């Protein structure tokens, strides 16, 4: 095996880093406000859906002709280039939502850390959010990417800090008699929160786009995907239990963007707030950088397969310049126009749809009851999460519902117009001749 190929440890770091990267720092507050002390159960529910999707993707990967990727699975097993292209566009939309979430959280933690709300009459969070996007787009254009070794160290540091927070918080909470399960007041809102925070389980699928770079890909990817989803779920559960038990729902609601840092204060004091805030800046910043890198290369691949407009191709340089610039502009627009709840909901909706679709496809390609069980659970779980999320937003937060729905409709309409452009033009020409 080439020494340049990705080992199991590195693959695990990539998958865990992709999920834990910045998601938990950004969405924990939103999930905690909706579910209260039962927020940990929301992450368990999301973890189950993600695990079923991971199993489904691995089943499709094993059945596919050659080492493909999730977009190619759709084309091979359905025979529809349009459906495959729409899946690719949904991936891109989801990554834009995720990057907006990271940038939004980065700005929030920075503003809270320096204790400044505005500069020259403009909100500091918004300014830092925009600046972060510009800086990381610039770094990617310049070809500055973290090495595999650096990423391993960063992921290890993020997980270590979260474990210190989680285990330290649990010890303190039990000592003070503050830890409770939240099951006594369990409501449907806990499961709805699972849908809102589902974006925290995005990231493991990136391994399937880079199989040629991984040692013994079939076995390594399987172990890395299963291990990372289970590990991330366990970490999220610990962090959610600590946060919702040490800090009241009212305080979390007032500090939803920085809930994790606020929750560290009861047992770690001001140092805890500082530690988590700095960790959040590094995590959301590196996650934004890494997602830009991955999304721009996915865009380049889609252009090469004629699934995105050829105008995005640009020069023949190694860096996908035009995709990076377009992604940067879209990310800046979404992060500036949307609230934390709207951005999180849109990103989660994108990935629930993708992962639910993979589960449905694996179910349709089932070989036995055993191979159908997890895909069926994943498909039903994703469907329920989508319906529940939209219903919750429509009834409880209509403004967010309209925002999310408008973005989703715009994305789907654009996708359909692009992939059906030939037939639309043909019908238009036919109509013109008739007239």
């Amino acid at each position: 095996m080439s020494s340049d190929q990705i080992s199991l440890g590195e693959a695990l770091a990539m998958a865990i880093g992709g999920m834990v990267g910045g998601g938990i720092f950004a969405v924990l507050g939103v999930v905690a406000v909706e579910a209260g002390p039962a927020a940990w159960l929301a992450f368990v529910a999301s973890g189950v859906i993600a695990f079923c999707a991971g199993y489904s993707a691995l089943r499709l990967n094993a059945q596919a002709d050659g080492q493909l990727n999730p977009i190619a699975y759709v084309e091979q097993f359905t025979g529809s280039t349009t459906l495959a292209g729409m899946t690719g566009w949904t991936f891109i939309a989801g990554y834009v939502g995720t990057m907006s979430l990271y940038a939004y959280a980065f700005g929030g933690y920075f503003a809270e850390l320096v204790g400044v709300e505005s500069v020259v009459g403009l909100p500091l969070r918004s300014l830092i959010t925009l600046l972060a996007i510009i800086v990381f787009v610039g770094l990617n254009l310049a070809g500055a990417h973290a090495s595999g070794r650096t990423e391993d160290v960063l992921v290890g540091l993020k997980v270590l800090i979260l474990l210190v927070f989680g285990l330290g918080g649990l010890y303190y909470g039990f000592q003070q008699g503050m830890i409770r399960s939240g099951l006594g007041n369990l409501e449907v809102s806990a499961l709805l929160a699972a849908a809102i925070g589902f974006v925290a389980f995005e990231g493991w699928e990136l391994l399937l786009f880079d199989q040629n770079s991984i040692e013994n890909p079939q076995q390594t990817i399987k172990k890395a995907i299963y291990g990372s989803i289970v590990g991330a779920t366990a970490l999220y559960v610990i962090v959610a239990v600590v946060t919702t038990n040490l800090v009241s729902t009212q305080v979390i609601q007032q500090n939803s963007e920085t809930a994790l840092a606020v929750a560290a204060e009861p047992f770690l004091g001001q140092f805890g707030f500082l530690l988590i805030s700095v960790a959040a800046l590094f995590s959301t910043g590196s996650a934004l950088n890494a997602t830009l890198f991955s999304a721009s290369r996915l865009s380049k691949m889609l252009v090469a397969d004629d699934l995105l407009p050829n105008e995005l191709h640009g020069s023949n340089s190694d860096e996908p310049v035009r995709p990076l610039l377009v992604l940067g502009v879209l990310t800046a627009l979404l992060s500036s126009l949307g609230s934390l709840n709207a951005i999180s909901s849109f990103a989660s909706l994108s990935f629930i749809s993708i992962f639910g679709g993979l589960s449905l496809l694996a179910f349709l390609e089932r070989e036995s009851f055993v191979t159908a069980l997890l895909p069926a659970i994943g498909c039903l779980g994703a469907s329920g999460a989508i319906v529940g999320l939209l219903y919750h937003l429509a009834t409880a937060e209509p403004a967010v519902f309209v925002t999310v729905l408008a973005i989703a409709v715009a994305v789907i309409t654009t996708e359909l117009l692009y992939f059906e452009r030939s037939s639309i033009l043909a019908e238009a020409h036919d109509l013109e001749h008739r007239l």
Side-chain angles (χ1 to χ4, degrees):
M1 292 289 179
S2 168
S3 60
D4 292 333
Q5 287 195 302
I6 297 170
S7 65
L8 175 59
E10 291 171 326
L12 267 170
M14 286 174 61
I16 293 175
M19 286 185 283
V20 176
I24 189 64
F25 291 97
V27 303
L28 177 63
V30 177
V31 175
V33 167
E34 296 296 337
W40 66 271
L41 190 59
F43 286 114
V44 171
S46 291
V48 169
I49 295 174
F51 189 90
C52 291
Y55 172 85
S56 300
L58 290 167
R59 283 287 308 165
L60 295 170
N61 194 49
Q63 292 175 264
D65 298 330
Q67 295 176 348
L68 303 179
N69 59 64
I71 299 169
Y73 304 156
V74 174
E75 183 167 14
Q76 178 172 321
F77 291 111
T78 66
S80 172
T81 302
T82 297
L83 196 55
M86 291 180 70
T87 302
W89 280 47
T90 307
F91 263 115
I92 297 298
Y95 289 136
V96 168
T98 304
M99 290 186 291
S100 300
L101 188 67
Y102 295 155
Y104 193 101
F106 185 94
Y109 273 101
F110 185 92
E112 196 69 30
L113 193 59
V114 299
V116 177
E117 291 187 3
S118 63
V119 176
V120 295
L122 297 173
L124 180 62
R125 183 202 58 75
S126 299
L127 291 175
I128 295 300
T129 295
L130 180 59
L131 182 61
I133 295 168
I134 293 172
V135 168
F136 286 117
V137 167
L139 287 173
N140 274 270
L141 288 172
H145 316 297
S147 66
R149 182 71 63 182
T150 303
E151 281 295 337
D152 291 347
V153 172
L154 286 174
V155 170
L157 190 59
K158 296 171 197 174
V159 173
L160 178 61
I161 291 173
L162 287 173
L163 282 174
V164 168
F165 167 83
L167 298 178
L170 281 178
Y171 176 78
Y172 173 84
F174 277 118
Q175 289 290 99
Q176 300 295 318
M178 301 171 71
I179 301 298
R180 59 196 189 282
S181 69
L183 295 177
N185 299 314
L186 183 62
E187 298 179 358
V188 178
S189 60
L191 299 180
L192 294 177
I196 296 172
F198 190 82
V199 67
F201 286 89
E202 172 277 320
W204 56 265
E205 78 286 347
L206 292 172
L207 294 176
L208 296 166
F209 286 100
D210 202 20
Q211 297 188 57
N212 292 328
S213 303
I214 298 175
E215 287 182 7
N216 189 14
Q218 290 283 354
Q219 291 303 312
T220 299
I221 291 175
K222 179 187 294 185
K223 293 175 182 177
I225 286 178
Y226 289 153
S228 63
I229 294 174
V230 171
T233 303
L235 188 60
Y236 293 164
V237 166
I238 294 172
V239 169
V241 168
V242 171
T243 302
T244 56
N245 281 283
L246 299 192
V247 184
S248 69
T249 303
Q250 289 80 6
V251 172
I252 294 174
Q253 191 165 20
Q254 292 168 3
N255 302 274
S256 59
E257 297 171 23
T258 57
L260 208 58
V262 172
E265 286 189 291
F267 65 100
L268 290 175
Q270 189 61 32
F271 170 76
F273 181 88
L274 180 64
L275 176 67
I276 296 299
S277 295
V278 172
L281 287 175
F282 276 108
S283 295
T284 52
S286 64
L288 173 57
N289 187 50
T291 308
L292 262 173
F293 177 81
S294 301
S296 62
R297 273 144 186 79
L298 174 58
S299 300
K300 189 176 181 178
M301 183 193 81
L302 293 175
V303 171
D305 292 339
D306 197 30
L307 299 178
L308 275 176
N310 195 52
E311 287 76 11
L312 287 173
H313 186 273
S315 64
N316 293 321
S317 65
D318 291 335
E319 300 305 323
V321 176
R322 290 184 182 177
L324 276 169
L325 293 173
V326 172
L327 288 169
V329 170
L330 292 175
T331 300
L333 284 173
L334 184 57
S335 60
S336 62
L337 297 176
S339 65
L340 181 62
N341 204 341
I343 296 169
S344 176
S345 298
F346 172 70
S348 292
L349 187 62
S350 298
F351 284 105
I352 294 172
S353 300
I354 292 169
F355 292 169
L358 289 176
S359 293
L360 175 60
L361 195 55
F363 177 78
L364 296 175
E365 297 296 323
R366 65 191 181 277
E367 296 176 346
S368 65
F369 173 79
V370 174
T371 59
L373 183 59
L374 288 182
I377 294 173
C379 184
L380 291 173
S383 300
I386 291 172
V387 172
L389 174 59
L390 294 177
Y391 175 78
H392 168 71
L393 293 178
T395 54
E397 301 183 65
V400 175
F401 172 74
V402 170
T403 302
V404 172
L405 194 63
I407 296 172
V409 169
V411 170
I412 294 172
T413 302
T414 305
E415 291 173 356
L416 288 171
L417 287 174
Y418 179 76
F419 290 108
E420 298 298 324
R421 63 191 185 282
S422 297
S423 58
I424 293 173
L425 287 173
E427 289 180 13
H429 285 308
D430 183 56
L431 181 61
E432 185 179 350
H433 284 308
R434 289 180 183 177
L435 294 175

